[in-house]
């Protein structure tokens, strides 16, 4: 097999010689020698099993284990065949006949297309677009069905990967190179058979001769793609993560050595993996993420590698897997890949950021892409010569990968002397054609054809591969299944994992249990010890209804959890660990132990505190119904979480059902009273069956005594006319009462009041709930298998539409860019050597110095020093690099100098021109932080203008600020992205924007940058540093941390501050041309840098960074302190201070904290917030949609209310629904506020605007949409339901609008106050259930004022703002409303003999209100409880005269919330650094 490497059973000795010590990250590094020792030890442990194999003559069996173990130690472990592994260990039995999984890859005319034409732009959808789209949706939906039958064009597509061909044989590695957007990720994904996100993938890709379709269907786990990010379940330990991966990929008995069980195999391999990757010490540590504390970033990367190894895939694609790692760690990673590929005969594709020559030389093939076109594919040794022969000039000390990508970048490439793009292929198409006509391409075609012929004629590898895959399957798994483990086994493995995930998520466990227990206690205390009288009938229904809704709607949290877990599931499904449906059943089974305990405790409290039927059978029946319903609702919400692409769309979909579920449970509206065209909803509502079952369970065990207000007629104050007990001429008004009896049987109450019977409790209600549970379980299966939205990778730019102004500006920018490119080639030769002379600034720029800088932070048991006696300076017009090993304190030093630390103690002198820094220091400097935090919905131009408007002095005219922003855009080369939304920018473009936002402030003193090249490819890093060099040459002072720059980048800096471990200074001084000054310093102290080594890398190694031994006998910090260079630095600092102090301070020098006034800040920030919300239709339109939907469905249920007693109650219920609005607003608003606060924290560090402006602007931005939502809700409430029939008339409906707006504003302000008081979203959402339950439970509706326990009535009832809102609205609507009972609403009783109805009941009517329909009758007296609406609300402690007072008490709560939000925003930042 050609390609430069022979695939045999032994490790090539050349590789053993070249692989020395691998180090990963700053964490413990991986030692190849140690890895090989461990490898051999494992081999010896397994050798006894190999003897048994020979004895049993099972020579054809495939046995696999994961080679991560022995060879390498860092980042790229690969699975390998155990027989081959043992053979390579003891150099024997190569002829044993073990089947290998050798999978060579060929691709011919591979082409990838996506939706959108060549000039296609995707524009941001706005709130206005969403409103229009909503009304057009029915027509568009109909058109979608008609269009296929009409002639139509297919949507335009554009090619992002043009026809490409190549071959990579088993045991070979291919490096994929290209500038950002060249198509590297697309190429890797299509090779890995991940095609779902593309419109069309053409050409032919074969794996050992197997086509892509068959590979995806039967062997999907054998081709794997590893993305850049490390996505894991954060609450699992490292060992548990690997244990799960191994449990789904451990081969069956035919794929393991005889006598080795699955458990032994998994344990052995897991231990080996942990040892080989040098992460044994982390096996009981949580993997963690940005929210959960766990292993370090480098260790987490190695966990990703180990998980990838567990796939045992034979074709592996690694996409920029060294992102954020330094050069030595990246080298270790690729060395590991090299060893794995050699031993296992894998086929490996890799794309890398900033690859050096030492990495480059480890590959067998290199492919170079330019805008999706293949411009080279061949041996790495030939690539550089190929492009040089085309006419491209190589730059000195430029690595080959940087040179190759640079040849495809118009901004970097240079042509050889006498050559230009007129006679050199330079366009993507030209380079592609040049390659097609080259001998390299001819050789490629020959190699491709030869290998294809070999695969078609000699199918030994293919047959061995198929047989090996079959042998790997566990017994009972279908031959056609692409999985190693059967479905039941997958469910079992996933259930164990999900159980651990829940068990180890302590925060979620404790908070959910505490929340449910507290809510149960609140509900139980509100309904404590309900009487067994008629008064307890309605409240028993209330506590059952509220308890059921509270616990079941807690399952709402499952919806976002499904979405958050989707990336992990997609990755592992792609690895072939399990089929999607297995996750559904695993979630169900794993959740049962936790939810059972949680719901049991809740039900125990809610059931016994109110004194529901106290029997074991009654409680467990109640618990059984509630718990089954909880599980069914859990499935309901999980289904939506699987179906929807984001939370807002899921929220809209859920609110389509939730109001109806509540409304049509049977409690608010009994089934027989529902509108005939809507009653069917109750039959599709699982809550209606649960509530009916719980009610039947309660009242089949309970009888109620009729007394008090439920007896008609009865004695009023000072009356003795009527019997104290129920007499023959009185009637009990409770549903189901029998004449002459004061005891109401529970079953009779249910049948008369709600139309339900206890006979249905088991035969109907239980059966239907179980059916819903099963239905939602299988709905999840269908959703996750066939309907789940796919997560697309890659960067897609989304633009805001141009207006007249921006269109003109963009045209000017394009013209400037075109003119510059015309003369760019003529200027390139001069750019190579920088002039020593720099333009001197016209005005005096101040110098920045620091001396004896120390920084201590508090730790457990004392303090820790992070910086020690650091000295240095930055002069105007210089570019200073701050470097050091991981953990040396680079970012810490930068934060201290930039005054960004708010914890710890800083000592030493930080001076500007010899003077202490003033209040305007933050405004005079700019700090581009490593995390690119911006307002995501702003365009590039808007983000730059925002910074310029608020950070440049107010005296500067707006036009001048705009002109400067246009200069920044040109300088940053962002002309093509001026209208692109920040959130859609690529990593490189966002980095440039971060710098531009800081430059827009025109920093008078200094520009700080923290790791500006981190995460960028070599080409982007060069572009960025080239830009910084440009700024420095114009007089700007720059201090920049840099992470392992190439030698070319390193030489762009003027000075270097090199820190060692513990924050010690190792060197500060000039770098010099070709790094000669710094080279000379280290050389004279015993560390001579070889000429072909990057000095930036060598310095770290020489000073003992990582595992590298220190060069020289002395600590380099001591060498520095004793050096003459250190003395010269101290002298230079003294000179700078003296020179600065000699310059007098301007008399009118202002030291304002902010550059602009409060009102100006407020105007600019409000404008930005308004634009952001307008461009966030999912957020704003979802709220409007939910308001409209709830109001509409409530109105349809209570359509055209009249004057009956029933309609009176429905008016009250419909008004009570208004209490739902704040809860809806809070759920959406809190995450938005906290996310915006992140942006504010970053901006406030630069004193852009005050925290008061932030808080007020957040509220003002929400106001228009809040008022719109309130108006829509009000309009759909008052008119369909026929409000305004009382004494207040239409004026009353206007008052209702005002109250609706006040309620909406109260919800907005409460949500913002909660968010401002909370450190995170996870904490904020915990407040919501408490607040909503308290606000709704104690406002006097759910528990009437007269029956509310006095403890709550005396203070909480008065304190709750909903009390005021509902009092004002009820009194306004019902005041003067004439009540006319319907025929079935009268209480009928017979007067004593010889008395009329009036004579017998007149005193009662005068005392309690209502009216007699037939006062002169002597039999069958018909009494209506109310004659006017006032009689309904007066016993509820509501007064019509107090409605305006109540309205403005509610408004005062809004004002109070706003004040809390402002103060919390000022004093609670929750940003410690």
């Amino acid at each position: 097999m050609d390609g430069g490497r022979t695939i045999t059973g032994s490790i090539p000795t050349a590789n053993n010689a070249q692989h020395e010590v691998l180090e990963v990250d700053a964490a413990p590094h991986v030692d190849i020698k140690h890895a090989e020792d461990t490898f051999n030890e494992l081999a010896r442990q397994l050798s006894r099993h190999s003897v048994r194999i020979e004895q049993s003559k099972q020579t054809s069996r495939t046995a696999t284990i994961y080679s991560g173990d022995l060879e390498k130690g860092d980042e790229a472990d690969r699975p390998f065949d155990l027989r081959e592994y043992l053979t390579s260990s003891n150099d024997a039995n190569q002829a044993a006949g073990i089947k290998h999984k050798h999978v060579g890859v060929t691709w011919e005319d591979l082409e990838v297309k996506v939706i959108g034409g060549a000039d296609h732009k995707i524009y941001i959808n706005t709130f206005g677009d969403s409103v229009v789209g909503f009304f057009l949706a029915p027509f568009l939906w109909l058109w979608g069905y008609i269009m296929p039958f009409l002639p139509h064009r297919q949507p335009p597509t554009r090619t992002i990967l043009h026809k490409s061909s190549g071959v990579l044989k088993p045991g070979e590695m291919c490096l994929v190179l290209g500038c950002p957007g060249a198509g590297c990720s697309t190429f890797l994904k299509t090779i890995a058979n991940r095609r779902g996100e593309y419109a069309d993938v053409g050409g032919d890709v074969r794996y050992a001769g197997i086509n892509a379709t068959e590979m995806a269907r039967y062997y999907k786990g054998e081709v794997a793609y590893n993305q850049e990010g490390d996505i894991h379940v954060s609450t699992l330990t490292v060992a548990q993560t690997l244990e799960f991966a191994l449990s789904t990929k451990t081969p069956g008995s035919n794929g393991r050595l005889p006598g080795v069980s699955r458990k032994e195999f998994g344990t052995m391999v897991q231990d080996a993996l942990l040892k080989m990757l040098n992460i044994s010490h982390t096996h009981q540590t949580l993997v963690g993420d940005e929210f959960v504390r766990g292993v370090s970033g480098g260790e987490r990367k190695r966990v990703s590698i180990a998980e990838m190894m567990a796939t045992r895939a034979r074709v592996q694609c690694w996409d920029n897997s060294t992102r954020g790692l330094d050069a030595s760690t990246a080298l270790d990673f690729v060395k590991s890949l090299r060893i794995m590929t050699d031993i296992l005969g894998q086929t490996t594709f890799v794309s890398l950021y900033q690859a050096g020559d030492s990495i480059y030389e480890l590959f067998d093939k290199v492919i170079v892409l330019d805008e999706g076109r293949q411009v080279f594919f061949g041996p790495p040794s030939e690539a550089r010569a190929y492009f040089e022969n085309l006419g491209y000039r190589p730059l000195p000390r430029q690595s080959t990968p940087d040179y190759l990508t640079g040849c495809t970048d118009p901004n970097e490439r240079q042509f050889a002397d006498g050559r230009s793009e007129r006679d050199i292929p330079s366009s993507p198409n030209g380079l592609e054609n040049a390659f097609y006509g080259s001998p390299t391409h001819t050789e490629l075609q020959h190699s491709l054809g030869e290998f294809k012929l070999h695969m078609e004629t000699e199918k030994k590898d293919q047959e061995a591969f198929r047989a090996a895959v079959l042998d790997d399957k566990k017994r009972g798994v279908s031959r056609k299944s692409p999985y190693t483990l059967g479905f039941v086994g997958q469910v079992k493995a996933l259930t164990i994992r999900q159980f651990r995930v829940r068990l180890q998520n302590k925060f979620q466990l404790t908070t959910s249990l505490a929340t449910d227990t507290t809510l149960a206690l609140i509900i139980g205390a509100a309904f404590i010890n309900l009487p067994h009288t008629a008064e307890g009938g309605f409240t028993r229904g209330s506590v059952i209804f509220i308890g059921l809704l509270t616990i079941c709607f807690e399952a709402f949290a499952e919806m976002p959890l499904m979405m958050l877990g989707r990336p992990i599931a997609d990755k592992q499904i792609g690895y072939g660990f399990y089929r999607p449906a297995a996750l559904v059943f695993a979630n169900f089974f794993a959740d049962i132990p936790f939810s059972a305990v949680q719901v049991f405790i809740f039900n125990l409290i809610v059931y016994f505190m109110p004194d529901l039927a106290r029997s074991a059978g009654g409680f467990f029946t109640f618990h059984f119904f509630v718990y089954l319903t909880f599980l069914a609702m859990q499935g309901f919400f999980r289904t939506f979480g699987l179906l929807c692409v984001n939370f807002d769309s899921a929220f809209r979909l859920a609110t389509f059902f939730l109001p109806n579920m509540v409304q049509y449970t049977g409690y608010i509206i009994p089934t027989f009273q529902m509108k005939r065209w809507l009653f069917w909803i109750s039959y599709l509502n699982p809550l209606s069956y649960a509530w009916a079952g719980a009610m039947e369970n309660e009242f089949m065990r309970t009888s109620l005594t009729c007394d008090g207000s439920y007896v008609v007629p009865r004695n009023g104050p000072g009356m003795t006319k009527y019997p104290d007990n129920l007499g023959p001429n009185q009637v009990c008004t409770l549903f189901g009462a029998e004449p002459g009896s004061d005891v109401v049987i529970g079953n009779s109450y249910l049948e008369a009041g709600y139309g339900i019977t206890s006979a249905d409790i088991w035969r109907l209600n239980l059966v239907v709930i179980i059916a819903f549970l099963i239905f939602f379980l299988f709905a999840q299966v269908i959703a996750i298998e066939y309907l789940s939205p796919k997560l697309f990778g890659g960067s897609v730019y989304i633009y805001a539409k141009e207006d007249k102004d921006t269109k003109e500006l963009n045209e000017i920018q394009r013209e400037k860019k075109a003119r510059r490119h015309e003369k760019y080639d003529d200027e390139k030769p001069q750019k190579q050597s920088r002039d020593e002379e720099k333009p001197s600034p016209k005005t005096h720029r101040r110098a920045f110095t620091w001396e004896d800088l120390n920084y201590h932070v508090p730790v457990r048991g004392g303090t820790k020093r992070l910086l020690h006696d650091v000295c240095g300076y930055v002069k105007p017009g210089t570019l200073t690099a701050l470097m050091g090993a991981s953990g040396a304190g680079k970012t810490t030093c930068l934060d201290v100098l930039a005054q960004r630390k708010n914890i710890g103690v800083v000592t030493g002198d930080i001076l500007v021109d010899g003077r202490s820094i003033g209040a305007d220091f933050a405004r005079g400097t700019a700090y581009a932080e490593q995390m690119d935090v911006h307002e995501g919905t702003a365009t590039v131009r808007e983000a730059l203008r925002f910074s310029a408007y608020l950070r440049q002095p107010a005296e500067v005219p707006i036009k001048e600020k705009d002109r400067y922003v246009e200069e920044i855009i040109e300088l940053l080369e962002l002309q093509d992205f001026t209208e692109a939304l920040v959130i859609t920018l690529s990593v490189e473009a966002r980095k440039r924007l971060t710098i531009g936002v800081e430059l827009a402030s025109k920093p008078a003193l200094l520009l700080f940058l923290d790791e500006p090249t981190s995460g960028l490819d070599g080409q982007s890093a060069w572009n960025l540093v080239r830009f910084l060099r440009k700024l420095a040459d114009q007089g700007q002072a720059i201090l920049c941390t840099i992470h392992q720059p190439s030698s070319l980048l390193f030489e762009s800096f003027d000075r270097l501050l090199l820190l060692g471990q513990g924050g010690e200074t190792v060197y500060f001084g000039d770098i010099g041309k070709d790094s000669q000054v710094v080279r000379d310093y280290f050389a004279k102290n015993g560390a001579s840098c070889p000429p072909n080594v990057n000095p930036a890398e060598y310095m770290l190694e020489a000073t003992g960074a990582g595992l590298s031994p220190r060069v020289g006998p002395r600590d380099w910090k001591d060498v520095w302190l004793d050096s003459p260079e250190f003395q010269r630095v101290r002298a230079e600092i003294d000179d700078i201070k003296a020179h600065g102090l000699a310059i007098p301070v301007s008399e009118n020098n202002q030291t304002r904290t902010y550059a602009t006034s409060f009102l100006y800040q407020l105007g600019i920030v409000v404008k930005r917030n308004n634009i952001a919300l307008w461009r966030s239709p999912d957020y704003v339109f979802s709220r409007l949609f939910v308001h409209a939907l709830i109001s509409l469905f409530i109105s349809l249920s209570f359509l055209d209310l009249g004057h009956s007693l029933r309609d009176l109650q429905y008016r009250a219920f419909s008004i009570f629904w208004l209490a739902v609005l704040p809860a809806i607003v809070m759920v959406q608003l809190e995450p938005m506020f906290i996310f915006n606060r992140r942006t504010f924290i970053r901006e406030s560090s630069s004193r852009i605007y005050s925290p008061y402006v932030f808080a007020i602007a957040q509220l003002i931005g929400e106001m228009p949409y809040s008022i719109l939502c309130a108006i829509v809700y009000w309009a759909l409430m008052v008119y369909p339901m026929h409000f305004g029939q009382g004494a207040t008339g239409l004026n009353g409906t206007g008052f209702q609008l005002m109250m609706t707006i006040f309620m909406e504003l109260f919800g907005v302000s409460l949500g913002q106050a909660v968010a401002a008081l909370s450190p995170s979203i996870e904490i904020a959402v915990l407040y919501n259930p408490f607040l909503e339950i308290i606000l709704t439970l104690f406002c006097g509706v759910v528990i009437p004022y007269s029956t509310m326990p006095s403890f709550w009535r005396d203070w909480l009832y008065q304190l709750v703002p909903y009390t005021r809102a509902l009092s004002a609205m009820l009194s306004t609507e019902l005041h003067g409303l004439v009540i006319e009972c319907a025929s079935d609403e009268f209480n009928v009783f017979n007067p004593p003999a010889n008395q009329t109805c009036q004579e017998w009941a007149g005193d009662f009517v005068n005392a309690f209100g209502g009216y007699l329909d037939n006062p002169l009758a002597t039999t069958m007296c018909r009494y209506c409880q109310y004659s006017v609406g006032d009689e309904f609300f007066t016993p509820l402690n509501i007064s019509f005269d107090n409605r305006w007072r109540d309205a403005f008490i509610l408004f005062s709560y809004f004002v109070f919330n706003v004040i809390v939000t402002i103060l919390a925003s000022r004093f609670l930042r929750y940003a410690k650094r």
Side-chain angles (χ1 to χ4, degrees), residues 482-496:
Y483 303 101
T484 304
L485 197 59
F487 186 76
V488 175
Q490 294 171 20
V491 173
K492 180 181 176 182
L494 277 165
T495 300
I496 294 172

CSV table of all heavy atoms in Angstrom, one decimal, residues 482-496:
chain,number,residue,atom,x,y,z
A,482,PRO,N,-27.0,-0.3,12.4
A,482,PRO,CA,-25.7,0.4,12.4
A,482,PRO,C,-25.1,0.5,13.8
A,482,PRO,O,-24.0,1.1,14.0
A,482,PRO,CB,-26.0,1.8,11.8
A,482,PRO,CG,-27.4,2.0,12.2
A,482,PRO,CD,-28.1,0.6,12.2
A,483,TYR,N,-25.8,-0.1,14.8
A,483,TYR,CA,-25.4,0.1,16.2
A,483,TYR,C,-24.7,-1.2,16.7
A,483,TYR,O,-25.1,-2.3,16.3
A,483,TYR,CB,-26.6,0.5,17.0
A,483,TYR,CG,-27.2,1.7,16.6
A,483,TYR,CD1,-28.4,1.6,15.8
A,483,TYR,CD2,-26.7,3.0,16.8
A,483,TYR,CE1,-29.1,2.8,15.4
A,483,TYR,CE2,-27.3,4.1,16.4
A,483,TYR,CZ,-28.5,4.0,15.6
A,483,TYR,OH,-29.1,5.2,15.2
A,484,THR,N,-23.8,-1.0,17.6
A,484,THR,CA,-23.1,-2.2,18.2
A,484,THR,C,-24.0,-2.8,19.3
A,484,THR,O,-24.0,-4.0,19.5
A,484,THR,CB,-21.8,-1.7,18.9
A,484,THR,OG1,-21.0,-1.1,17.9
A,484,THR,CG2,-21.0,-2.9,19.5
A,485,LEU,N,-24.8,-2.0,19.9
A,485,LEU,CA,-25.6,-2.4,21.0
A,485,LEU,C,-27.1,-2.4,20.5
A,485,LEU,O,-27.5,-1.5,19.8
A,485,LEU,CB,-25.5,-1.5,22.2
A,485,LEU,CG,-25.9,-1.9,23.6
A,485,LEU,CD1,-25.2,-3.2,24.0
A,485,LEU,CD2,-25.7,-0.8,24.6
A,486,GLY,N,-27.9,-3.4,21.0
A,486,GLY,CA,-29.3,-3.4,20.7
A,486,GLY,C,-30.1,-2.3,21.3
A,486,GLY,O,-29.6,-1.6,22.2
A,487,PHE,N,-31.3,-2.2,20.9
A,487,PHE,CA,-32.2,-1.0,21.4
A,487,PHE,C,-32.4,-1.1,22.9
A,487,PHE,O,-32.2,-0.1,23.6
A,487,PHE,CB,-33.5,-1.0,20.7
A,487,PHE,CG,-34.4,0.2,21.0
A,487,PHE,CD1,-34.1,1.4,20.5
A,487,PHE,CD2,-35.4,0.1,21.9
A,487,PHE,CE1,-34.9,2.5,20.8
A,487,PHE,CE2,-36.2,1.2,22.2
A,487,PHE,CZ,-35.9,2.4,21.7
A,488,VAL,N,-32.7,-2.3,23.4
A,488,VAL,CA,-32.9,-2.4,24.9
A,488,VAL,C,-31.6,-2.1,25.6
A,488,VAL,O,-31.6,-1.4,26.7
A,488,VAL,CB,-33.4,-3.9,25.2
A,488,VAL,CG1,-33.5,-4.0,26.7
A,488,VAL,CG2,-34.7,-4.1,24.6
A,489,GLY,N,-30.5,-2.6,25.1
A,489,GLY,CA,-29.2,-2.2,25.7
A,489,GLY,C,-28.9,-0.8,25.7
A,489,GLY,O,-28.4,-0.2,26.7
A,490,GLN,N,-29.3,-0.1,24.6
A,490,GLN,CA,-29.1,1.3,24.5
A,490,GLN,C,-29.9,2.1,25.5
A,490,GLN,O,-29.4,3.0,26.2
A,490,GLN,CB,-29.4,1.8,23.1
A,490,GLN,CG,-28.5,1.3,22.0
A,490,GLN,CD,-29.1,1.7,20.6
A,490,GLN,OE1,-29.9,2.6,20.5
A,490,GLN,NE2,-28.7,1.0,19.6
A,491,VAL,N,-31.2,1.6,25.7
A,491,VAL,CA,-32.0,2.3,26.7
A,491,VAL,C,-31.5,2.1,28.1
A,491,VAL,O,-31.5,3.0,28.9
A,491,VAL,CB,-33.5,1.7,26.6
A,491,VAL,CG1,-34.3,2.2,27.7
A,491,VAL,CG2,-34.1,2.1,25.2
A,492,LYS,N,-31.0,0.9,28.4
A,492,LYS,CA,-30.4,0.6,29.7
A,492,LYS,C,-29.2,1.5,29.9
A,492,LYS,O,-29.1,2.1,31.0
A,492,LYS,CB,-30.0,-0.9,29.8
A,492,LYS,CG,-29.4,-1.3,31.1
A,492,LYS,CD,-29.0,-2.7,31.1
A,492,LYS,CE,-28.3,-3.1,32.4
A,492,LYS,NZ,-27.9,-4.5,32.5
A,493,ALA,N,-28.3,1.6,29.0
A,493,ALA,CA,-27.1,2.4,29.2
A,493,ALA,C,-27.5,3.9,29.3
A,493,ALA,O,-26.9,4.6,30.2
A,493,ALA,CB,-26.1,2.2,28.0
A,494,LEU,N,-28.4,4.3,28.5
A,494,LEU,CA,-28.8,5.7,28.6
A,494,LEU,C,-29.5,6.0,29.9
A,494,LEU,O,-29.4,7.1,30.5
A,494,LEU,CB,-29.7,6.1,27.4
A,494,LEU,CG,-29.0,6.5,26.1
A,494,LEU,CD1,-30.0,6.4,25.0
A,494,LEU,CD2,-28.4,7.9,26.2
A,495,THR,N,-30.3,5.1,30.4
A,495,THR,CA,-31.1,5.2,31.6
A,495,THR,C,-30.1,5.4,32.8
A,495,THR,O,-30.3,6.3,33.6
A,495,THR,CB,-32.0,4.1,31.9
A,495,THR,OG1,-32.9,3.9,30.8
A,495,THR,CG2,-32.8,4.2,33.2
A,496,ILE,N,-29.1,4.6,32.8
A,496,ILE,CA,-28.0,4.7,33.9
A,496,ILE,C,-27.4,6.1,33.8
A,496,ILE,O,-27.2,6.7,34.8
A,496,ILE,CB,-27.0,3.6,33.7
A,496,ILE,CG1,-27.7,2.2,34.0
A,496,ILE,CG2,-25.8,3.8,34.7
A,496,ILE,CD1,-26.8,1.0,33.7
